[in-house]
Amino acid sequence: MTKNLLYSFVLVCNLGISQTIHQLEPAKDHYRTLGALSASPRAQSADLDKIGYPPSEYRSGTLIYTMVTPHYLTVKQVDQLKNSIQFPANSSVQTRAELDFLLEWQKNRTAAQEHRSSNILAPIGYWPHVDILDDHQRYDENLGHLFYIGRAVLGANCDASKYPATAKLLRGITKDMRIMEFTVKYHLLRARPYHLEPKLNPLARISSPSFASGHTLWAYIHAFIWSELVPEKRQQFLAKAYEVGESREIMGIHYPSDEEAARILAHGMLSSMWDNPKFKKEYLAAKAEWK
């Protein structure tokens, strides 16, 4: 399904400090099982491979992010990462198994799971354009979302006002995450699961292509950077990101391969940022807040 993005980079700065980024953990649970299936197209279901995300459902606001200059990444790195992942063919054994997996979620999900996925986790997400003017009506809420993964693990005191260097780092990372999210989505134009499987009744309809999952991308890139800032909490950060990804499957709006690709892409993004001098400086300032 995806190319291997297991990088190990060393951060070395003029202060004589060095750190090696954590390697990406192997896929687990249903991501490992489904990812082992064939992703190749099947001739008997070839018509499915003609189905992409419908242009009538595009939202112009998300397309604008494909035109934005990256913060830590270079344009070349964005292009390389964009081309490093691919989704399973619509007609493949893997996609059919993923659709069946989502139908099982639809059959068995509880009211509590639906509520948490749709009303608690789905609205979370930092948007760089909301952060431009501090009198924007959603400014405070948006900034709060920036610290969701950290606050979920470290507690209510984990916020931008108390950790300004961390906020600056997260802002830059998340700007690049949004650029990457929509660059990949509009490059590959994967249909949402409900476009392929008429029996799916999603809890929402989303106005951008399916691959890769944007919620999962931000959750994991934040989990990965938080685990560099506070490494002893890595598994807790990753567990929160996993929950965010799984919530998109519960809602019937993402294939499991959208989540797994986002996890791999998030690690590849952070690895690519790691040698950027601007990133190094701002990472070290954030790191100092957590000593």
Side-chain angles (χ1 to χ4, degrees), residues 5 81 84-85 180 184 212 217 261-270:
L5 288 175
L81 288 162
S84 70
I85 55 174
M180 183 60 66
V184 171
L217 187 60
R263 184 181 75 95
I264 294 170
L265 183 59
H267 190 269
M269 286 182 65
L270 188 58

Side-chain angles (χ1 to χ4, degrees), residues 74-92:
T74 65
V75 172
K76 181 178 180 180
Q77 286 172 325
V78 170
D79 193 60
Q80 289 172 334
L81 288 162
K82 174 188 77 175
N83 290 300
S84 70
I85 55 174
Q86 182 57 262
F87 63 86
N90 291 349
S91 63
S92 68

